[in-house]
Amino acid sequence: MSTEKIIITLFAKDRPGIVRALSDTLLKHDGNWLESSLSRLCGQFTGIVHLEVSDINKPRLLKDFVRLSDDGIFITVQDAQGISQDNQEVNGLQILVEANDRPGIVKEITEALAVENVNVDNIDTEVESASMAGYPIFRAHLFLAMPDDLSEDDLSDVLEGVSDDVMVSILEE
């Protein structure tokens, strides 16, 4: 018996029991939960999960995933055969970027990172609507994979060069 790896994305209105419903469904078909990234935002719950299931049980598992939509849990499936674990060592860096909120701020920051060949591994953003300065403040907490030839100081200079209101803090991992 061989196994197949799949990647699913899920979306549901947030409530207790979503992860349990997903894990119960997977276990019912003897599947294995390999890795995931799940989060709640704006009253919604979403995520991506890498799973493994026997080729014999996969069709029934996929049917049960469709049935979860009756409970408001919507799942899309992608075949992950040939996709390998990302075990590559990276020069990781965690930063906090703050600036005045405005349309396009995420594009400005990510464009500056892309030009320097910096990969965004994870980004969490928020806007503080009532800052002490009286205007909304944008915050982005980023986990980055840095190229070997770019220093932390150079990265700060690049991002702070986006506009005069951008501040970068290097965080301890």
Side-chain angles (χ1 to χ4, degrees), residues 16-86:
I18 295 170
V19 175
R20 184 192 66 201
L22 182 61
S23 63
D24 285 351
T25 303
L26 181 61
L27 185 59
K28 175 180 168 185
H29 299 285
D30 298 319
N32 188 21
W33 188 300
L34 300 174
E35 61 183 325
S36 62
S37 178
L38 305 165
S39 60
R40 179 181 56 84
L41 180 68
C42 296
Q44 304 301 308
F45 188 80
T46 189
I48 184 169
V49 185
H50 186 197
L51 308 170
E52 185 175 48
V53 64
S54 73
D55 54 350
I56 293 170
N57 292 344
K58 182 181 173 184
R60 289 186 298 276
L61 173 65
L62 298 181
K63 284 181 184 177
D64 280 354
F65 280 166
V66 171
R67 287 187 191 111
L68 286 175
S69 66
D70 294 340
D71 294 327
I73 303 170
F74 301 95
I75 295 176
T76 57
V77 178
Q78 177 184 338
D79 181 25
Q81 291 305 108
I83 296 175
S84 61
Q85 290 287 108
D86 186 8

